[in-house]
Amino acid sequence: MITLPLTPEQRTVYWTVTVHDKYGSTHRSTGLHASAVRQQYDVWHPKPATARIELTEHTLVQARAITAFEDLPGEGEAASLPDLPAGAHEVKRFFRFTLAHEDGSLTGFGPAVLRTGDDVRHFYNWTVSTQDHAQVVHVDLSALRVLDITLTHLTREIQPADLPDDFTASLMGQLETEGLCWVPDHTRRGTYLRVRLAGGSQITISDAAANGREADSQRAAGDVGGWLAVWGAGNDVLAEVYRSRRGMTRAADTVALTNAVLKCAREHGGGPILRDKPRQPHA
């Protein structure tokens, strides 16, 4: 069994294109990459029959925490849901089991979704009762933990200029691969990526103009642009992590930024990791 770090929060971003024509029909494309969204927009926008195009950004945020059996919903009770955050379309809550390893890391075990406390208890009791069978996965029952998972679906209407370019999408994908939690911060001056680190500090990544100054507006199409990344805690900037230099291509610039961010993250403990707690899942 492969053991991987488990982050307390995981994000998935995708986009949808909805085209309304002058005759009352609607065409919708779902789950597209940002570059495909731009292509769809460029195809539909000049058509005489197109009345309106809606671009929607969807963000799925999965928050995970270890819980104990006594904190699960009672018998026959549904799992209570948190309040719907601003900008959220839907919130779901469910549970699953995980195995705790000696190094404190966790690995998923059993069904991916257990909807209620009753489902959790039933699967645990079934696991206990079948440990003597030859055809089941044998586990150390004392290493089982219960994850309480909240899945929040956030949506926002965007313009084509709000779509990340392929290099920005690559950066976000690399951060996720390295187990780093990133949070977008949409402001009037553009979108910032805030990368959360283990010690409570963060790296803030923003677009920068070609001369290295922070950009005041969205980057124009075809502009090479640049990056600025700083490390800090709260509102205090403690160090500059990366600043673009003149003459670099966008691809080379993004690779250099990614390497600098990953180096800084490793120096400060990496990203937050959900680790085992001493509490047992069963009484």
Side-chain angles (χ1 to χ4, degrees):
M1 182 181 295
I2 299 176
T3 302
L4 298 174
L6 190 62
T7 57
E9 183 178 284
Q10 185 179 51
R11 287 176 175 263
T12 303
V13 180
Y14 65 95
W15 297 266
T16 56
V17 181
T18 305
V19 180
H20 304 273
D21 66 25
K22 296 178 181 179
Y23 311 106
S25 298
T26 299
H27 172 84
R28 181 176 290 106
S29 300
T30 304
L32 299 172
H33 189 274
S35 60
V37 173
R38 282 189 290 271
Q39 292 174 0
Q40 287 284 316
Y41 185 90
D42 291 342
V43 167
W44 288 100
H45 186 262
K47 291 183 180 292
T50 299
R52 180 165 52 94
I53 302 177
E54 297 174 358
L55 301 181
T56 306
E57 181 181 85
H58 302 259
T59 303
L60 299 178
V61 182
Q62 188 179 108
R64 297 177 279 204
I66 297 175
T67 191
F69 263 42
E70 55 266 27
D71 296 326
L72 291 170
E75 185 176 351
E77 294 181 1
S80 60
L81 297 177
D83 294 334
L84 203 65
H89 174 72
E90 183 181 27
V91 174
K92 296 180 179 179
R93 183 184 174 201
F94 57 94
F95 308 92
R96 73 165 304 177
F97 278 97
T98 187
L99 283 169
H101 301 274
E102 291 182 359
D103 62 358
S105 61
L106 303 165
T107 303
F109 173 78
V113 174
L114 297 167
R115 295 180 302 163
T116 66
D118 290 340
D119 290 342
V120 174
R121 287 182 285 268
H122 179 271
F123 179 74
Y124 177 75
N125 290 334
W126 177 85
T127 301
V128 172
S129 65
T130 58
Q131 283 301 290
D132 292 335
H133 297 183
Q135 312 258 330
V136 300
V137 177
H138 296 277
V139 298
D140 178 2
L141 296 175
S142 67
L144 282 176
R145 306 289 184 268
V146 180
L147 288 181
D148 188 339
I149 302 173
T150 301
L151 184 64
T152 305
H153 182 186
L154 300 142
T155 59
R156 70 178 185 118
E157 299 301 315
I158 63 170
Q159 300 300 317
D162 297 321
L163 288 166
D165 60 25
D166 291 342
F167 301 108
T168 305
S170 174
L171 167 66
M172 293 188 292
Q174 186 65 35
L175 295 176
E176 292 174 357
T177 299
E178 295 292 331
L180 296 175
C181 301
W182 58 269
V183 178
D185 185 1
H186 306 294
T187 71
R188 292 181 179 179
R189 303 184 69 180
T191 297
Y192 297 77
L193 288 182
R194 309 206 185 268
V195 182
R196 296 172 175 172
L197 302 181
S201 61
Q202 65 181 13
I203 301 172
T204 301
I205 305 170
S206 61
D207 282 342
N211 61 3
R213 294 176 304 178
E214 190 174 340
D216 292 331
S217 60
Q218 292 288 342
R219 181 169 40 256
D223 184 7
V224 173
W227 297 106
L228 175 65
V230 296
W231 170 64
N235 294 323
D236 297 327
V237 175
L238 303 176
E240 185 175 288
V241 175
Y242 183 81
R243 184 184 290 271
S244 297
R245 302 187 303 273
R246 286 182 179 275
M248 297 185 70
T249 65
R250 183 68 167 169
D253 196 17
T254 304
V255 170
L257 165 72
T258 303
N259 291 336
V261 168
L262 295 180
K263 178 182 178 182
C264 180
R266 295 184 187 110
E267 290 174 350
H268 298 283
I273 299 296
L274 185 63
R275 293 196 175 276
D276 180 29
K277 296 180 181 179
R279 300 176 67 184
Q280 301 296 323
H282 50 283

